[in-house]
Amino acid sequence: MRVQVLGDISSENFAKNTLILGEGKLPTKLASDLFSIPSDFCVSVPSFKDLIRHVSNKYKDHHWVCELAILAPKNENINKIIESLLKKLSGNFITYKFPDAVMDKVQAVYYLTEFLNSLNPFGMPPHMLNQKVGFSIMLLRNLDPSKLCKRTGLCASKLMSNAIQATILIGNNKGESVFIPRIPLIPSDMSFEFKSFQFPDCLAFAITINKVQGQSLRVAGINLETRCFSQDQLHVSCSRVGTPRNYMLQTARLKMSLNRML
C-alpha cells in the first residue's frame, strides 16, 4: 500500500481506514448495504467542476502533473473528463483521427468502419485522439524497454502528423527528448480482431483506476458517476495517496457508487 506516515495523525488514520476498506470491513448501512465512509477519510467535492478545479489547477507544472490524476472506473468516464479538461485549459489542441479496420476481410462486411470507430477497448487510445503541446501524456504500449515503457509519463513538445516529440518526465531518462511514432494497435479483449493505426498514448490528467495500479500519486481525484466494479477497485484508488487531504471524492453520486454488492 502506497502510504507513508510521518508523524501525521490524519495520515495514520487514513492508512488504517484504507486497510479496513481493502479487507471489506468498513461499516455498512443495513437497509441499503452501502459503505459508510468516515468523514475524515477524504475531501468531499460536491460537483464535477470542483473536482477538475482541485486537481488541474497546476497543470503547467509537469513535476506536479506527474503525481496527480483524476481517476474513474471506466474508459467512457475518462473520455468525458478529458474532453471537459481540454475545453477548460488554455491553448489549441490537435485531433489525430485514423480509421480502424477489421483484419479479416471476410468479417469486414459485418463490422462497418463507423461501428469500429465508436468502440473504446481497454488499453487503446480513443479513435479521435486529442493532444496539446506542453501537456502530459502517458504511454499505453512498450516501445523501448530501456526508457519508453507502458505508463511512462512524458510532456508533448511538438505534434507532427506521423510522430510526437516529447520529453520524458520520470525515471532514469528524465529530461531526454524522444519521438513517439504511430503504430498498429490491436485490442486483446474483443471477440474479433481489428487494427487501429494510432499513437500509443493518452492525456495523463485522467486515467482509469485499473491503469493507476502500482503508481504513487500526490493528489487523486475520484469521479464516481459510474460505480466501482468492486470494493477492491475503490481500495486501489485511495491507496495511491498517503493523506486524506490529497484524496478527493466527488460526492454527487457517492452513495450509489459505493454499493457493496455490485
Side-chain angles (χ1 to χ4, degrees):
M1 184 175 60
R2 306 286 179 168
V3 174
Q4 292 183 347
V5 181
L6 301 175
D8 186 341
I9 298 300
S10 62
S11 295
E12 185 176 350
N13 292 334
F14 179 76
K16 292 178 180 178
N17 287 323
T18 301
L19 212 60
I20 293 173
L21 172 62
E23 295 171 349
K25 296 180 180 179
L26 277 180
T28 59
K29 297 180 180 180
L30 295 177
S32 58
D33 202 27
L34 299 178
F35 286 117
S36 178
I37 298 295
S39 59
D40 60 347
F41 185 69
C42 61
V43 176
S44 296
V45 181
S47 69
F48 177 62
K49 290 183 179 180
D50 290 322
L51 182 67
I52 291 180
R53 179 174 56 82
H54 275 82
V55 177
S56 65
N57 58 359
K58 292 188 178 182
Y59 72 94
K60 290 184 178 180
D61 184 345
H62 296 128
H63 299 291
W64 179 269
V65 168
C66 283
E67 298 179 304
L68 66 86
I70 296 178
L71 310 178
K74 293 184 177 181
N75 277 329
E76 59 191 51
N77 305 111
I78 295 301
N79 292 336
K80 292 178 182 179
I81 293 169
I82 289 177
E83 184 178 348
S84 299
L85 283 169
L86 287 172
K87 291 179 180 179
K88 177 181 183 296
L89 304 177
S90 61
N92 297 322
F93 61 86
I94 294 177
T95 300
Y96 292 102
K97 182 179 178 181
F98 302 104
D100 302 319
V102 175
M103 299 180 66
D104 186 347
K105 293 182 179 180
V106 176
Q107 292 184 325
V109 296
Y110 302 107
Y111 301 101
L112 300 178
T113 301
E114 292 78 7
F115 168 72
L116 298 177
N117 294 344
S118 68
L119 299 177
N120 190 22
F122 176 77
M124 294 280 287
H127 167 63
M128 298 181 65
L129 180 64
N130 295 314
Q131 306 274 262
K132 280 189 178 185
V133 170
F135 277 32
S136 294
I137 57 178
M138 182 181 68
L139 284 183
L140 299 175
R141 292 290 190 277
N142 295 320
L143 297 180
D144 183 347
S146 63
K147 54 187 173 183
L148 292 178
C149 299
K150 186 177 180 181
R151 298 178 183 172
T152 296
L154 308 101
C155 173
S157 56
K158 188 175 182 179
L159 302 175
M160 297 167 279
S161 58
N162 292 310
I164 294 176
Q165 186 174 358
T167 303
I168 299 176
L169 297 178
I170 59 175
N172 296 330
N173 299 287
K174 181 178 178 180
E176 183 176 342
S177 181
V178 294
F179 288 91
I180 302 172
R182 285 195 306 165
I183 62 173
L185 298 169
I186 302 173
S188 59
D189 60 344
M190 304 294 294
S191 59
F192 61 95
E193 286 190 334
F194 75 94
K195 179 171 61 178
S196 177
F197 196 56
Q198 184 61 281
F199 292 106
D201 71 86
C202 64
L203 290 176
F205 292 122
I207 53 179
T208 59
I209 295 174
N210 290 343
K211 286 179 184 176
V212 83
Q213 292 187 70
Q215 298 184 43
S216 295
L217 297 174
R218 185 182 301 181
V219 177
I222 317 301
N223 175 267
L224 290 176
E225 291 181 319
T226 298
R227 60 175 65 177
C228 287
F229 300 120
S230 68
Q231 64 183 31
D232 293 333
Q233 191 178 41
L234 183 64
H235 172 257
V236 167
S237 71
C238 66
S239 58
R240 299 308 95 196
V241 300
T243 170
R245 295 185 296 274
N246 293 339
Y247 183 63
M248 286 159 283
L249 278 174
Q250 183 185 340
T251 57
R253 298 187 182 183
L254 187 58
K255 289 184 178 180
M256 182 184 70
S257 302
L258 299 184
N259 218 332
R260 177 186 287 273
M261 303 301 293
L262 301 179

